[in-house]
Amino acid sequence: MRWEELDQQPCSLARTLAVVGDRWTLLVLRDCFLGIRRFDEFEKRLGITRHVLADRLKKLVDHGVLIRVPYQQRPLREEYRLTERGLDLHGVILALVSWGDRHMADERGAPVRHVHKGCGQVMRPLISCSECGEQVSARDIRVEPGEGWGDRVEEVLPQVR
């Protein structure tokens, strides 16, 4: 499978990685969730080249994850804001951060805390079943082919025959 062909795969993960699956894009998204909106702020915080940053922002806009909103008319200047599609990535980013907090933090612990506004407590993300509400992990889930797999199910789900 070639990187440029990920969006053609009958796999939601591969299609998602085609949009957000590189380090710079994930860091841009992290900064979006931290309230960064302007090109020069991204550039300064990330230490990324203008060309790479422009490419990643364009891709996120093209895929409806971000929208450009003018904040100044003369000269025209725009900032980047998360769309509903972009906001839906929060759980993904939070899950990656949580994994990093658990497996990559040094002896001082997690670099940031995520506090639930509703109860005021430091929280960690949990995955639960949408039907019964029970917390689930990898061992609790069976993967089956869905309507979108088509004829190539063995390529993605080798145990299904």
Side-chain angles (χ1 to χ4, degrees):
M1 173 182 336
R2 296 172 46 96
W3 183 254
E4 346 24 270
E5 298 170 350
L6 282 180
D7 61 344
Q8 305 299 313
Q9 296 298 311
C11 171
S12 295
L13 178 59
R15 291 174 183 168
T16 301
L17 288 174
V19 177
V20 301
D22 71 83
R23 63 183 175 193
W24 290 121
T25 302
L26 289 171
L27 292 174
V28 165
L29 288 169
R30 175 205 61 193
D31 281 3
C32 287
F33 285 110
L34 292 174
I36 304 303
R37 293 184 174 162
R38 297 185 180 170
F39 188 95
D40 58 332
E41 292 173 317
F42 287 115
E43 184 180 29
K44 182 179 176 184
R45 284 177 54 89
L46 296 173
I48 187 174
T49 66
R50 294 181 69 79
H51 170 75
V52 172
L53 178 58
D55 178 66
R56 296 321 188 268
L57 289 169
K58 180 182 183 321
K59 184 182 239 184
L60 290 169
V61 169
D62 289 348
H63 287 280
V65 174
L66 298 177
I67 188 170
R68 293 190 343 229
V69 177
Y71 68 89
Q72 177 180 309
Q73 292 301 320
R74 292 183 181 225
L76 178 63
R77 301 223 188 265
E78 298 174 315
E79 63 185 19
Y80 297 87
R81 294 191 184 177
L82 290 158
T83 63
E84 285 301 314
R85 183 178 278 196
L87 290 168
D88 279 349
L89 286 166
H90 187 256
V92 174
I93 299 298
L94 195 56
L96 287 170
V97 169
S98 180
W99 185 90
D101 288 348
R102 182 175 174 149
H103 298 288
M104 303 302 291
D106 62 21
E107 63 280 350
R108 295 173 292 177
V112 298
R113 292 188 306 245
H114 294 88
V115 179
H116 180 221
K117 290 179 182 180
C119 70
Q121 297 297 310
V122 174
M123 53 83 59
R124 62 182 176 82
L126 300 173
I127 297 177
S128 61
C129 174
S130 60
E131 302 307 308
C132 71
E134 184 177 316
Q135 185 177 333
V136 295
S137 70
R139 290 183 176 100
D140 302 316
I141 299 172
R142 180 180 64 245
V143 178
E144 298 177 349
E147 294 79 20
W149 288 113
D151 297 334
R152 299 169 53 191
V153 72
E154 292 85 19
E155 293 176 29
V156 181
L157 298 175
Q159 78 279 9
V160 177
R161 295 186 196 209

